Amino acid sequence: MLALAGKTALVTGAGRGIGRGIAERLAADGALVAVHYARNDAAARETVGAIRESGGRCFALRAELGVPGDVEELYGALDAGLAEQGAGRGLDIIVNNAAVSSSARIGSVEADTFDRIMAVNAKSPLLVIQEGLNRLRDGGRIVNVSSAVSRRALPETLVYAMSKAAVDTLTLTLAKELGARGITVNAVAPGFVATDMNARRRSTPQGEKALAALSVFNRIGRPADVADVVAFLVSDDARWITGQYVDVSGGSML
């Protein structure tokens, strides 16, 4: 019996990177996975194809986050996709992974950049959960993807770190708010992972080596390193864990 058989999961930002890893793992564990993406149709098709080739169940849905009407578009597409799959509107798992980033120290932060990052990384998870609670079954699971930089000083990612700190507070507060329904709310905090978001930092052998050296294991993280922890948190084995910030940085900057 697969751990998530009969469950339905929504994973935002699942077309590539960590989100794709999470979507693939949850599908492998038996969940019907809604693969959300914003713009990259080709990447989303690859993710869906990979899941289906492995025997998993999924469908893609497109919605730009951080803009007016984003949540309505997201859930409209979700409901349509679930109907096509012969499933009801109910959800068991919400994973807020979608995020954008930018490199800027305090002296070069621009207001538009701040607003965009906060809209996608902090506001959208709140609104996705707010609307999702109408569909999330009692005993459900919410996992928010935070970042190790919310608790470590990395001046060049100031605004991104601020947005992820907001996710940490959202997680802690909702864990208490939703406990009466048996819903757990946790955050996972990756360090540097081999994804497109970190491509610039990994563009040279020296950069790759420097990032690897941050971890006690002397390597850069992989999407599966994060996805496996998320799979645990959404399983019944993690029923007594809520409100937690789970560091999945490979012991970075200890």
Side-chain angles (χ1 to χ4, degrees), residues 107-178:
S108 57
V109 171
E110 297 180 352
D112 289 347
T113 300
F114 179 91
D115 291 344
R116 172 63 178 161
I117 290 175
M118 286 296 180
V120 176
N121 297 7
K123 182 179 179 180
S124 289
L126 184 150
L127 296 179
V128 167
I129 293 171
Q130 182 184 59
E131 178 63 27
L133 289 176
N134 297 323
R135 297 165 171 79
L136 194 64
R137 299 180 180 94
D138 290 353
R141 300 284 188 265
I142 298 172
V143 177
N144 298 317
V145 178
S146 179
S147 171
V149 300
S150 73
R151 300 194 181 186
R152 295 170 177 82
L154 202 65
E156 60 268 30
T157 61
L158 171 61
V159 178
Y160 179 76
M162 291 173 66
S163 72
K164 291 302 187 178
V167 168
D168 296 345
T169 299
L170 174 68
T171 299
L172 182 64
T173 304
L174 291 185
K176 186 169 186 178
E177 175 83 7
L178 302 178

Side-chain angles (χ1 to χ4, degrees), residues 234-254:
V234 302
S235 74
D236 187 59
D237 289 344
R239 61 192 174 276
W240 205 235
I241 300 174
T242 196
Q244 299 306 300
Y245 170 100
V246 182
D247 187 300
V248 287
S249 71
S252 291
M253 295 180 282
L254 289 178

Side-chain angles (χ1 to χ4, degrees), residues 2 4 22-33 51 55-58:
L2 297 174
L4 300 180
I22 293 170
E24 290 179 342
R25 175 58 198 269
L26 300 190
D29 285 353
L32 168 61
V33 180
I51 290 172
R57 300 174 62 218
C58 69

